[in-house]
Amino acid sequence: MAPASFSDEIKNVFAKASRHLKPSSSRTPSRSTSSNPAKPPTAHQALQQHNLKDSAETAWKTMETALRLLEKGADACPPLKSTVGGLVACLDLAKKVIGNREEYAKLAAQFEEMASTLAPYASKLAATDARGSIALILTSIDDELAEINRQLERGKFKRAVEATDDQGDILTRYRKIDSLFRRLLSDVTLRTHVEIGKLREATDATLLRTLVPVDDARYNSAYSTAVKRRGCTASTREQILDDLRTWVKDPQGSKVFWMNGMAGTGKTTILYSFCEWLEENKRLAGNFFCSRASTSCRDLNNIVRSIAYQLAHYSPAFRSQLCEILEEKQNPHTLNVGEQFKWVMAMPLENSKDAIPDGAIIVVDALDECGDVSATALFLKVLMSYATRLPIKFLVASRPEPVILKNMQTPNFSPSILRLHDIEQSLVEADIRLYLQEALFTMSPSPSAGVIERLTRRSGKLFIYAATVARYINPEDKVVNSKTRLDTVLGISSSSASLQEQELDKLYTTILLSAFDKVNFEEEELEIASLVLRTVICAIEPMTTRTMSTILALRRGDVASTLSRLQSVLHVQEGPPGLVSVLHASFPDFLCNEARSREFYCNILEHNTMLTHSCFDVMCKELHFNMCDLESSYDFDEDLPDLAQKIKANISVGLLYACKYWSNHLVHCDLTSSIHYRLVEFLKFRLLFWMEVLNLTKAISVGSKLLSDALAWLIRKVPDHTFKETEKELYDADLFVKTFSLGACKKSTPHIYISALPFCYKSSSVYQNYWSKTHGLLVVNGTSLIQRRNGPIGVWKTDMGVNSVAFSLDDRTFAAACGNCIKIHDVQSGDIVFSSLLEDGASIMTLVFSPDNSKIATGSRKGNIWVWDIQTAGLIAGPLHMEGVGIGALAFSWDGRKLAAHSSSTLVVWELSSSKVVSGPFETTYWGDYGSFAFTPDDSKVLFMFNKYRMVYILDARSGSDLAVLLEVTSEDAGLGTLRSTAISPDTTLVAVGYEEGMICIWEVHAGTMIQGLLVGHSGWVSALAFSHDGKKLISGSADTTIRIWDIDAGDVVAGPLKGHTGTIHSLALSSDGTKIISGSWDECVCLWNVFSNESNVAPPCQSVTGYIRTVAWSPDSTRIASGQHDGTVAVWSAQEGEAVIKPFRHSSDIFSIAFSPDSSRISAGTEDGAVVSWDLRTREIVGEPFQGHSRAVKSVVYSPDGSIIASGSDDCTIIIWDCSTGKMFAKLLGHKHQVDSVSFTPDGSRLVSSGHDKSIYVWNVHTGQIILGPIEGHKDTVCSVACSPEQPRFVSGSSDGTLRVWNLTTGEMTAGPFNAHCGAVYSVAYSRDGTKIIYGGRNRNVCVCDAETGNILASIAGHTQIVISVAVSPDGSRFISGSNDRSVRVWQLDILTSPESLQNAPTIWMPEHDIIPTNSDIAGYQDDGWVDLYDMHSFWTTPEFRQDLCYPLNPITIGPCGTTLIDYSLSNLLIGQMWSKCWIYGLSVSEKVESVHFEMQKKV
């Protein structure tokens, strides 16, 4: 069938369906109540009745024909054929009973249309289709037909009036049948035609398997047999099961049923039987039985995807909708639980709800056994928020844990609840009695009724007691002396029936006494049993027998033998993987309570100490370099087809357990010398190998937490910092792992060595421990990596400036707003866990988390507000609209139920549950752009800080009335001007204000006094402020691009300046624990920072580029290079090593141009304040007085070749020639109509070329000051730079119009060009020393070299991240330097860059290995995520914030914000790619290493 005709057919089907699905008449037959006899009909009425009868007869025959055709067409689907046949027969009988001709004519028409519409699809249904939802629909129709037949039969023997009553009920049931057929029609028509059905089925199956369902979690899976899960004994728990069945069938029943009960009350057994009934009655849409004993069955992330998979097999319509989503959206099942539920459950269910039959149920058992409490809360929150909108019901069973109880008690939804432990004692005893009779029936002889009664009474309401007794006395899988064991149990002294715990304790004690029988077992066997039992209890996750034997260094046979004696209380999974777990949660409660378990008490501290040693033992034995024999460092792990097999072959389950959980055991230990020794040894010798295991198994994000938890434990145990060096080891290791895991470097495990280690700070313990053990890696020298700085540990690039950032209250995530997009990142991995675009397309101005950490709100520039539930990712409210110029600020009430917003001069308070305004709008004074406000802790008032009027006042949150003006910030006396930022402390007692001048004031609100005076430190305006959550610290961000942390009481900087941003910092937030900062900047970056409170962790200042580069110069003697910065500094560096050779010279205003004197003894600068300043490079003193003559900024200065004069060009449109010896003005050259941007002497010094904003160029006679040529015109925009050829009478000009032009110095004619510079505006030009090449830089951030005659591009390298503002060539012509607004100066090898032969002879890792004639276009690119990629090869990685300091190919020296960097990329010296595995030096043996560490520690002791 052609696609077009198929499409048309589908349209026709849905058109019919839409007509068919219109509500039918609900009129029922009426009967007269009059006692008067009916009047005979008139002739007209008689004619109408006759016509109506004919019409009804015709309709009935048409319907009957249509139904017969439908019945015949359903041959391939017997259940449907049978149902339709039953309907036809039933209608034949009903025809004689239904007296209202009009009603049965309508009924006939409805059934005829339904049958005609369904018939084309009936022939394509197979018997296998009649299952799940379709089977339930057909069964429901059959039930209705059976009841109609019953009433029709009854009607034969009843009086006419009663029969008339039945007529109404029969019509109602026929309409119910009609409704059910509609659902069947919806189900069928939502599926694809049979012609493409087979292909669709295969595609759907593939898509559905991507959900990775957990088959073990099904109620009757193979795993359920292994854990001895079973249904209720016959005739037990009947009342409970009947109540559940009633709830299922009740269309008005609650959408969620919560069955809760204390441990041992039989929840799982009841649900097993209930699922059997649901499945038998085609109502089981999905089920997930959680289990603490199974890693996959206790992971909440698996619940939604597994149930969705089962639902897809239950309902074809749901499957169709789900597969469509799986095709369109990339891996929605891998998102957080809220997003999972939305995409793979809620949306497909809502889209297919007409095809889902009533009474479809999803069952989730043992929710309390999921390991993550917060994830459990999240799941329930998602479920409760969506349940009422979905066409299915949910049954959840669990213990009444606080987190579950809280989330089941939502204000807007009440589930049905059954508490098993509240059921009447006699009912439970009766069920337990039946269970024990069946479980012990096979004993010989069977226990007497009296014995069963005694055991029943002891069980009380705890089925787990009865089950444990039965499993102990009469196990199914081994032969024991059941009579002896029964006597033992009966011999336990009885206690009060109210003390059920004591009964269970005695039973557990009896079982353990048998397992630890000192008569039958050797001492060693008892010790092994004790070790195994306590390990099962203390394991962070259930171990396999193989894992346990590895961790405990025991033979697997000994472990298995021990476990066989403990099968009454422990479960061992049959077959692989053989997980070992407790059978019931009450058992570890018993063992970990010394008063209850006595001699069997499990001392958590002692056993965790043993397990910590065991973990270190396993890692010591099994960890090594290149754990999985990875072949190439160029590949990402995810691209390796055989990685899973390599992991399985090389990383044992025991090793993986040790790597993931050593720290979890450590933090439960006391600090002993042996534990300390093992910890230090691990950090010094196995840290990187451990990282390999975690990264290969996708667990690297937990690495930092393991180390930070270990550090916190060490400090807690030794608060006086006795082991300060170990603290540093842990701190450095944590930082190293965190930097690796937050970056894209984690995509390739070999880059722990190839990239992370070479770019690690030299002062780091990690570098000091491991660098000497490697060779053939990148060697990074210079000052930039000597010692750790307060730089960011994570950087995320955005598409535009970042307006607002915030930390979640649990410190697990942070949010950032960029443009109209909000993203929430996981702090440990950096991964995006939530993202949304605002519908109005406007930029987000502010965002805030609620105090209870459940919501996040954003406000846009168009005045709209959105509020999301963080956990479910669902929209709670919005858009809420306010008039004005955008949302200036948002604040949640402390209870998280209300949200206040301020826009322009209006305040509004919303109730979020209803999205209704509860207070306001209130008119307030317009507060400007930098105001703040917050609720007081009791939520009754709102505190405002207005920057425009510098007022702090308080407002009633309900009435909006002004209560008081609390404070007027007066700062004029301190000489402070414009207020630029404000913040209010969380308790609303303090306000902080930041000023244009870089100072900060903190005021006590109620006292009206300033605290500590002015906080001084920033050199730029204070652009962002935020208080810590305890109100004791203040963090500030500035236009100087730094962040500082202040102690409010002392008024001192306790951390910072933190450097890493290159633009003004717009927003800041400090984590609740005070250890991390998130910042957003106009440099289009979000940065995550570690807060260093220990000064020893902060690098001493080293000379670096401190501001935007305005100009660069190379000294004539070739030994030095210099840069002038916008902060008024002139820095001078060694041209060979890039290190500072002298302290920076400083001026009071920006430096726009610098020049060395021809003898290299002086450096002169043109400044923003119109002066020309010169310094002596030997004495660092200013030479004479600054040259004063310009009225505006000096944009260009240049020495004459003989050094006797200086020329300066200025924004005042003039050029001045200065006498260097006297400092006097030699001449003032007038001609330019606008600013002069560039001046250049000819090689003989007799002429001067100038250019400027007037788009023109002039050539001047230096001696007379007269114009020789000019204005020379041709450029269409500002001529930013000119340079004279050293060899020919020519000069080159570069312009903002994006072109280069070469001019004849004698005639003023253009001799070459215009050349397209391919870099946007050209800001700086220079000639090579032989005059054959032009070097230039411009707007597109590249440094370029072109042929001076042809303009052909010889080299173009994207080395800088912002505009290239200045270039200069070395005197010998072999190199040149470039300076950029990205605050870096780069040295480039000009001779190699422009010579293909030289490139071929100097291969680097940035270039292809086998290119015969390499070109610059072959050079690898630096990606935004930090990778340097060459085709599909990933050469190396650096943190993105290090990009300004990174050296590029043929760029041996970079001087950047962190200092100087020198890197040798020579390919011949490096072991990377397929050679990477040779980079490790196999030296000392493990024993020698251990002895070395022990010796060093002993010396310290």
Side-chain angles (χ1 to χ4, degrees):
M1 183 180 292
S5 61
F6 171 74
S7 176
D8 292 339
E9 181 179 342
I10 289 296
K11 290 180 181 177
N12 292 334
V13 168
F14 276 101
K16 288 183 180 180
S18 64
R19 293 195 301 272
H20 175 67
L21 296 178
K22 293 177 182 177
S24 60
S25 170
S26 59
R27 219 172 86 191
T28 57
S30 61
R31 62 176 185 264
S32 172
T33 59
S34 172
S35 60
N36 297 326
K39 295 180 180 180
T42 64
H44 177 69
Q45 289 173 330
L47 179 62
Q48 282 185 321
Q49 290 178 2
H50 178 75
N51 291 339
L52 182 61
K53 181 178 180 181
D54 289 344
S55 175
E57 290 292 339
T58 302
W60 204 264
K61 289 178 181 178
T62 305
M63 173 203 69
E64 188 173 0
T65 301
L67 285 173
R68 292 294 183 189
L69 289 173
L70 175 59
E71 181 184 13
K72 184 177 181 181
D75 286 341
C77 185
L80 176 59
K81 184 178 181 71
S82 172
T83 297
V84 175
L87 175 61
V88 173
C90 193
L91 284 170
D92 283 340
L93 293 173
K95 177 181 174 183
K96 302 171 183 177
V97 177
I98 299 174
N100 189 316
R101 301 285 181 179
E102 182 180 359
E103 287 295 336
Y104 84 65
K106 288 182 179 179
L107 182 64
Q110 290 170 359
F111 275 118
E112 184 275 329
E113 186 175 6
M114 176 275 298
S116 299
T117 306
L118 186 58
Y121 296 94
S123 62
K124 296 167 186 176
L125 286 174
T128 55
D129 291 311
R131 58 189 181 188
S133 57
I134 291 179
L136 180 54
I137 291 172
L138 295 177
T139 301
S140 300
I141 294 173
D142 290 339
D143 290 344
E144 295 296 329
L145 290 173
E147 181 59 28
I148 290 173
N149 276 318
R150 189 186 67 78
Q151 293 192 30
L152 290 173
E153 288 297 324
R154 184 180 65 173
K156 296 177 182 178
F157 307 104
K158 300 186 71 174
R159 291 181 297 113
V161 65
E162 291 177 335
T164 304
D165 285 336
D166 283 344
Q167 288 176 15
D169 186 63
I170 288 171
L171 276 173
T172 300
R173 291 187 180 277
Y174 275 127
R175 291 194 181 98
K176 177 69 179 294
I177 291 171
D178 177 51
S179 173
L180 289 166
F181 267 113
R182 291 177 200 169
R183 292 197 176 188
L184 178 61
L185 181 63
S186 294
D187 198 313
V188 174
T189 55
L190 278 171
R191 287 183 288 165
T192 314
H193 248 222
V194 72
E195 284 79 4
I196 60 171
K198 292 182 180 179
L199 178 61
R200 178 75 258 177
E201 185 177 343
T203 304
D204 286 355
T206 302
L207 285 170
L208 291 175
R209 290 311 302 182
T210 65
L211 293 172
V212 196
V214 178
D215 294 329
D216 282 353
R218 294 191 180 195
Y219 80 96
N220 56 354
S221 65
Y223 176 73
S224 74
T225 304
V227 296
K228 298 179 174 59
R229 188 185 299 150
R230 50 165 287 179
C232 302
T233 299
S235 301
T236 65
R237 319 314 297 257
E238 281 299 325
Q239 183 60 56
I240 296 172
L241 291 169
D242 282 344
D243 290 343
L244 292 176
R245 293 174 192 133
T246 301
W247 166 72
V248 169
K249 296 176 181 179
D250 181 6
Q252 305 303 318
S254 174
K255 287 288 188 177
V256 177
F257 193 112
W258 179 33
M259 185 173 74
N260 71 75
M262 303 303 291
T265 50
K267 300 179 291 295
T268 297
T269 305
I270 293 170
L271 287 196
Y272 191 102
S273 291
F274 183 55
C275 284
E276 288 181 318
W277 178 82
L278 289 173
E279 191 158 36
E280 181 181 345
N281 287 271
K282 311 297 188 296
R283 297 178 184 273
L284 185 60
N287 66 98
F288 194 100
F289 278 48
C290 306
S291 172
R292 186 177 289 107
S294 166
T295 304
S296 58
C297 294
R298 71 162 185 265
D299 187 348
L300 260 164
N301 287 312
N302 292 332
I303 295 181
V304 174
R305 66 179 73 164
S306 298
I307 290 175
Y309 180 84
Q310 295 173 50
L311 256 173
H313 286 80
Y314 178 76
S315 168
F318 176 88
R319 177 169 70 245
S320 176
Q321 297 297 312
L322 173 60
C323 289
E324 186 176 325
I325 291 173
L326 293 176
E327 280 185 313
E328 293 177 357
K329 188 169 180 65
Q330 184 179 5
N331 298 329
H333 56 284
T334 63
L335 304 175
N336 63 60
V337 171
E339 288 286 282
Q340 276 191 51
F341 204 104
K342 170 185 174 182
W343 289 104
V344 304
M345 285 274 289
M347 288 181 63
L349 274 172
E350 289 177 334
N351 292 337
S352 59
K353 61 184 177 183
D354 291 335
I356 304 293
D358 291 336
I361 308 296
I362 288 174
V363 177
V364 178
D365 179 48
L367 190 61
D368 55 284
E369 296 200 20
C370 290
D372 191 334
V373 173
S374 62
T376 302
L378 169 57
F379 174 78
L380 286 174
K381 193 166 188 177
V382 173
L383 174 62
M384 303 303 274
S385 66
Y386 277 104
T388 55
R389 294 149 46 186
L390 302 180
I392 53 177
K393 293 181 178 180
F394 296 85
L395 172 58
V396 178
S398 72
R399 290 200 221 179
E401 300 289 352
V403 64
I404 300 177
L405 182 64
K406 176 184 177 182
N407 284 279
M408 282 292 185
Q409 297 173 340
T410 58
N412 300 319
F413 181 74
S414 298
S416 298
I417 298 176
L418 171 65
R419 298 178 177 88
L420 292 178
H421 47 278
D422 290 343
I423 296 175
E424 187 178 337
Q425 176 86 21
S426 60
L427 294 176
V428 180
E429 282 187 357
D431 288 340
I432 289 177
R433 186 180 298 107
L434 283 173
Y435 165 76
L436 287 171
Q437 287 171 352
E438 180 184 278
L440 302 179
F441 176 74
T442 57
M443 283 181 59
S444 181
S446 298
S448 66
V451 169
I452 294 294
E453 190 62 31
R454 289 173 63 187
L455 294 176
T456 300
R457 285 198 303 272
R458 291 191 177 190
S459 298
K461 293 184 181 181
L462 297 180
F463 262 82
I464 186 59
Y465 184 95
T468 305
V469 163
R471 200 159 32 237
Y472 175 66
I473 294 173
N474 192 31
E476 295 178 355
D477 52 357
K478 62 179 178 179
V479 177
V480 298
N481 189 329
S482 296
K483 181 67 171 59
T484 301
R485 291 193 173 196
L486 175 61
D487 292 341
T488 300
V489 171
L490 293 174
I492 301 173
S493 61
S494 181
S495 61
S496 170
S498 62
L499 301 178
Q500 290 296 319
E501 191 178 81
Q502 292 186 17
E503 290 288 354
L504 196 59
D505 291 354
K506 289 170 183 173
L507 177 61
Y508 282 146
T509 300
T510 300
I511 292 170
L512 292 177
L513 284 171
S514 174
F516 287 84
D517 187 348
K518 296 180 180 178
V519 176
N520 295 320
F521 299 105
E522 298 291 336
E523 186 66 29
E524 183 182 0
E525 291 179 288
L526 296 176
E527 290 178 2
I528 291 173
S530 176
L531 199 59
V532 168
L533 180 61
R534 285 158 177 74
T535 299
V536 173
I537 299 302
C538 292
I540 307 302
E541 70 174 17
M543 295 184 183
T544 64
T545 52
R546 182 180 172 191
T547 302
M548 199 176 301
S549 66
T550 301
I551 293 293
L552 301 180
L554 298 173
R555 292 188 298 271
R556 291 182 67 179
D558 290 340
V559 173
S561 174
T562 296
L563 293 172
S564 68
R565 306 202 306 271
L566 295 168
Q567 287 191 7
S568 298
V569 287
L570 299 182
H571 164 65
V572 182
Q573 184 182 22
E574 294 181 6
L579 287 172
V580 182
S581 59
V582 295
L583 274 170
H584 200 267
S586 59
F587 184 56
D589 293 343
F590 162 76
L591 278 182
C592 294
N593 187 321
E594 188 172 11
R596 294 173 61 188
S597 55
R598 302 177 184 272
E599 63 184 285
F600 301 109
Y601 168 60
C602 175
N603 187 310
I604 297 296
L605 187 146
E606 288 182 2
H607 198 70
N608 272 288
T609 301
M610 189 281 298
L611 287 176
T612 302
H613 277 288
S614 297
C615 287
F616 282 133
D617 286 341
V618 172
M619 291 192 291
C620 179
K621 179 181 179 183
E622 297 189 24
L623 286 175
H624 58 82
F625 173 73
N626 196 8
M627 288 293 305
C628 286
D629 297 321
L630 302 183
E631 295 175 1
S632 175
S633 66
Y634 289 149
D635 300 325
F636 283 166
D637 294 350
E638 64 185 19
D639 297 328
L640 302 177
D642 58 346
L643 182 59
Q645 291 83 356
K646 287 187 174 184
I647 291 172
K648 185 176 182 180
N650 293 283
I651 300 175
S652 70
V653 289
L655 175 61
L656 183 57
Y657 180 93
C659 288
K660 289 172 63 177
Y661 299 120
W662 63 266
S663 179
N664 300 78
H665 293 298
L666 176 74
V667 298
H668 290 100
C669 301
D670 279 334
L671 176 61
T672 64
S673 58
S674 60
I675 286 289
H676 179 239
Y677 163 73
R678 299 305 301 273
L679 175 62
V680 172
E681 188 225 3
F682 164 75
L683 294 170
K684 285 185 176 294
F685 296 108
R686 275 172 283 281
L687 178 74
L688 303 192
F689 310 151
W690 168 71
M691 287 178 65
E692 285 192 52
V693 172
L694 292 185
N695 200 57
L696 288 165
T697 57
K698 306 299 182 185
I700 191 64
S701 61
V702 307
S704 172
K705 187 176 189 312
L706 297 178
L707 292 165
S708 60
D709 286 350
L711 176 59
W713 165 81
L714 181 64
I715 294 173
R716 187 171 64 250
K717 294 296 182 180
V718 192
D720 61 355
H721 303 289
T722 301
F723 299 106
K724 197 165 187 177
E725 185 172 331
T726 307
E727 289 181 28
K728 183 179 184 302
E729 291 268 2
L730 281 166
Y731 195 95
D732 289 346
D734 179 22
L735 184 61
F736 184 82
V737 172
K738 192 172 292 173
T739 302
F740 178 81
S741 64
L742 284 174
C745 193
K746 65 184 175 187
K747 293 180 179 180
S748 179
T749 298
H751 284 267
I752 295 171
Y753 308 90
I754 304 301
S755 298
L757 188 58
F759 288 97
C760 179
Y761 292 106
K762 306 299 184 282
S763 60
S764 168
S765 302
V766 178
Y767 184 88
Q768 294 170 356
N769 290 335
Y770 294 96
W771 182 251
S772 61
K773 300 177 178 66
T774 65
H775 69 130
L777 300 179
L778 284 175
V779 177
V780 185
N781 290 317
T783 60
S784 61
L785 290 175
I786 288 179
Q787 189 159 342
R788 180 174 62 245
R789 282 163 171 64
N790 281 342
I793 57 173
V795 178
W796 292 267
K797 296 289 291 183
T798 61
D799 297 329
M800 56 186 71
V802 181
N803 291 332
S804 188
V805 295
F807 255 113
S808 63
L809 274 295
D810 60 4
D811 294 339
R812 296 171 65 177
T813 59
F814 64 85
C818 169
N820 71 325
C821 179
I822 176 177
K823 294 180 180 179
I824 300 180
H825 296 257
D826 178 84
V827 170
Q828 292 294 333
S829 67
D831 296 336
I832 296 173
V833 295
F834 172 79
S835 177
S836 183
L837 294 173
L838 298 194
E839 295 174 4
D840 64 2
S843 294
I844 297 172
M845 297 178 67
T846 182
L847 61 82
V848 62
F849 281 95
S850 62
D852 63 0
N853 205 46
S854 65
K855 309 174 192 72
I856 188 168
T858 63
S860 81
R861 194 170 294 280
K862 288 186 178 178
N864 291 319
I865 300 166
W866 282 265
V867 184
W868 287 273
D869 186 300
I870 297 173
Q871 296 173 326
T872 67
L875 188 65
I876 296 175
L880 310 174
H881 184 70
M882 291 184 69
E883 298 297 330
V885 295
I887 306 301
L890 294 169
F892 277 100
S893 60
W894 284 83
D895 62 9
R897 297 179 180 177
K898 295 185 284 292
L899 179 72
H902 196 278
S903 176
S904 299
S905 59
T906 305
L907 172 71
V908 175
V909 181
W910 277 277
E911 175 67 47
L912 293 177
S913 61
S914 63
S915 296
K916 293 181 179 178
V917 174
V918 293
S919 299
F922 310 129
E923 293 301 315
T924 62
T925 305
Y926 181 76
W927 66 359
D929 295 328
Y930 309 106
S932 301
F933 77 111
F935 278 91
T936 54
D938 62 0
D939 285 339
S940 66
K941 306 172 187 70
V942 176
L943 192 74
F944 276 88
M945 171 68 204
F946 291 96
N947 77 307
K948 187 174 182 180
Y949 301 103
R950 307 185 183 197
M951 304 286 286
V952 178
Y953 75 95
I954 198 163
L955 187 77
D956 187 289
R958 290 178 289 272
S959 68
S961 59
D962 295 347
L963 299 180
V965 176
L966 298 180
L967 173 66
E968 181 174 359
V969 177
T970 57
S971 51
E972 287 82 355
D973 296 340
L976 299 178
T978 305
L979 184 153
R980 300 303 298 266
S981 55
T982 63
I984 299 175
S985 64
D987 63 1
T988 66
T989 62
L990 303 174
V991 295
V993 291
Y995 292 96
E996 180 98 30
E997 295 76 13
M999 300 177 185
I1000 302 168
C1001 297
I1002 301 176
W1003 296 79
E1004 208 289 323
V1005 172
H1006 298 284
T1009 56
M1010 190 191 304
I1011 298 176
Q1012 293 296 338
L1014 293 174
L1015 305 182
V1016 181
H1018 288 294
S1019 60
W1021 53 280
V1022 180
S1023 52
L1025 291 168
F1027 280 93
S1028 61
H1029 289 272
D1030 61 6
K1032 295 181 179 180
K1033 294 184 175 58
L1034 179 74
I1035 51 176
S1036 61
S1038 169
D1040 67 9
T1041 73
T1042 67
I1043 298 169
R1044 285 170 167 79
I1045 305 178
W1046 309 81
D1047 182 288
I1048 292 175
D1049 292 333
D1052 298 328
V1053 173
V1054 293
L1058 311 183
K1059 297 180 180 180
H1061 282 294
T1062 59
T1064 299
I1065 294 161
H1066 196 261
S1067 183
L1068 290 167
L1070 186 67
S1071 62
S1072 299
D1073 62 7
T1075 63
K1076 298 179 184 67
I1077 291 174
I1078 193 72
S1079 60
S1081 168
W1082 292 344
D1083 64 4
E1084 303 180 1
C1085 285
V1086 176
C1087 292
L1088 179 67
W1089 314 75
N1090 258 1
V1091 176
F1092 303 136
S1093 57
N1094 188 339
E1095 287 300 320
S1096 65
N1097 288 327
V1098 181
C1102 74
Q1103 191 165 326
S1104 60
V1105 177
T1106 55
Y1108 305 131
I1109 303 295
R1110 300 288 198 190
T1111 178
V1112 294
W1114 206 305
S1115 68
D1117 64 3
S1118 298
T1119 62
R1120 284 166 285 191
I1121 54 179
S1123 61
Q1125 282 106 227
H1126 86 289
D1127 62 357
T1129 61
V1130 176
V1132 184
W1133 322 84
S1134 164
Q1136 299 302 318
E1137 303 296 333
E1139 296 179 355
V1141 296
I1142 195 170
K1143 287 185 179 180
F1145 301 109
R1146 297 190 178 275
H1147 187 68
S1148 57
S1149 65
D1150 284 11
I1151 305 296
F1152 280 105
S1153 179
I1154 57 174
F1156 281 98
S1157 63
D1159 64 359
S1160 300
S1161 65
R1162 298 181 184 180
I1163 191 167
S1164 298
T1167 67
E1168 187 180 34
D1169 58 11
V1172 177
V1173 184
S1174 299
W1175 291 275
D1176 188 298
L1177 291 170
R1178 290 162 295 193
T1179 66
R1180 291 196 75 254
E1181 300 293 331
I1182 291 180
V1183 179
E1185 294 295 324
F1187 299 168
Q1188 301 288 352
H1190 289 293
S1191 60
R1192 295 180 64 186
V1194 177
K1195 290 294 185 66
S1196 181
V1197 294
V1198 61
Y1199 275 91
S1200 63
D1202 62 4
S1204 62
I1205 57 176
I1206 292 176
S1208 59
S1210 169
D1211 279 353
D1212 65 7
C1213 309
T1214 69
I1215 300 167
I1216 297 178
I1217 309 295
W1218 307 88
D1219 186 305
C1220 288
S1221 60
T1222 64
K1224 293 182 178 180
M1225 188 186 303
F1226 180 76
K1228 178 174 281 193
L1229 312 183
L1230 303 176
H1232 283 284
K1233 297 177 182 178
H1234 295 287
Q1235 296 102 307
V1236 178
D1237 288 299
S1238 180
V1239 293
S1240 176
F1241 278 105
T1242 58
D1244 62 4
S1246 64
R1247 285 167 289 181
L1248 183 75
V1249 182
S1250 65
S1251 67
H1253 270 49
D1254 56 9
K1255 310 175 189 176
S1256 64
I1257 302 170
Y1258 289 86
V1259 179
W1260 310 81
N1261 185 306
V1262 174
H1263 301 296
T1264 66
Q1266 299 299 307
I1267 296 174
I1268 299 175
L1269 295 171
I1272 300 172
E1273 296 177 336
H1275 284 292
K1276 299 177 181 179
D1277 205 338
T1278 300
V1279 184
C1280 301
S1281 181
V1282 291
C1284 293
S1285 169
E1287 296 295 330
Q1288 298 179 2
R1290 296 178 182 177
F1291 65 90
V1292 64
S1293 58
S1295 167
S1296 292
D1297 65 11
T1299 67
L1300 299 169
R1301 296 172 185 253
V1302 179
W1303 310 86
N1304 186 294
L1305 193 56
T1306 304
T1307 65
E1309 295 178 352
M1310 186 171 65
T1311 61
F1315 305 137
N1316 186 339
H1318 298 286
C1319 69
V1322 180
Y1323 295 129
S1324 182
V1325 297
Y1327 268 102
S1328 62
R1329 290 307 172 200
D1330 61 5
T1332 62
K1333 306 175 189 70
I1334 299 170
I1335 299 93
Y1336 60 93
R1339 180 175 294 278
N1340 81 338
R1341 310 173 186 182
N1342 284 17
V1343 289
C1344 304
V1345 183
C1346 72
D1347 186 286
E1349 295 292 337
T1350 65
N1352 291 337
I1353 303 293
L1354 302 176
S1356 178
I1357 302 179
H1360 290 283
T1361 59
Q1362 295 190 33
I1363 62 173
V1364 179
I1365 201 72
S1366 182
V1367 295
V1369 181
S1370 66
D1372 64 2
S1374 64
R1375 296 179 290 172
F1376 71 92
I1377 54 174
S1378 59
S1380 168
N1381 277 5
D1382 66 6
R1383 301 194 303 170
S1384 73
V1385 177
R1386 297 180 180 276
V1387 179
W1388 304 91
Q1389 293 177 275
L1390 177 61
D1391 51 354
I1392 300 178
L1393 272 173
T1394 55
S1395 168
E1397 293 78 12
S1398 298
L1399 282 173
Q1400 186 179 4
N1401 294 327
T1404 74
I1405 62 173
W1406 292 73
M1407 299 175 188
E1409 292 186 41
H1410 305 297
D1411 273 16
I1412 297 174
I1413 305 179
T1415 65
N1416 287 275
S1417 61
D1418 295 322
I1419 292 177
Y1422 187 95
Q1423 309 303 316
D1424 287 341
D1425 61 0
W1427 280 105
V1428 172
D1429 288 344
L1430 183 63
Y1431 306 133
D1432 59 347
M1433 299 184 297
H1434 311 290
S1435 299
F1436 67 93
W1437 176 90
T1438 69
T1439 55
E1441 77 275 7
F1442 192 73
R1443 183 172 181 178
Q1444 282 76 23
D1445 294 276
L1446 180 68
C1447 294
Y1448 285 75
L1450 308 176
N1451 161 215
I1453 301 173
T1454 296
I1455 305 165
C1458 293
T1460 301
T1461 307
L1462 298 91
I1463 304 178
D1464 179 10
Y1465 291 117
S1466 175
L1467 193 60
S1468 60
N1469 299 327
L1470 295 177
L1471 297 174
I1472 65 172
Q1474 293 187 341
M1475 300 286 289
W1476 90 275
S1477 60
K1478 298 182 179 180
C1479 74
W1480 186 258
I1481 300 173
Y1482 294 89
L1484 294 174
S1485 66
V1486 171
S1487 60
E1488 290 172 320
K1489 292 175 183 178
V1490 171
E1491 290 174 5
S1492 172
V1493 173
H1494 183 69
F1495 176 72
E1496 291 298 321
M1497 293 182 65
Q1498 287 298 318
K1499 285 199 301 182
K1500 289 169 187 171
V1501 172

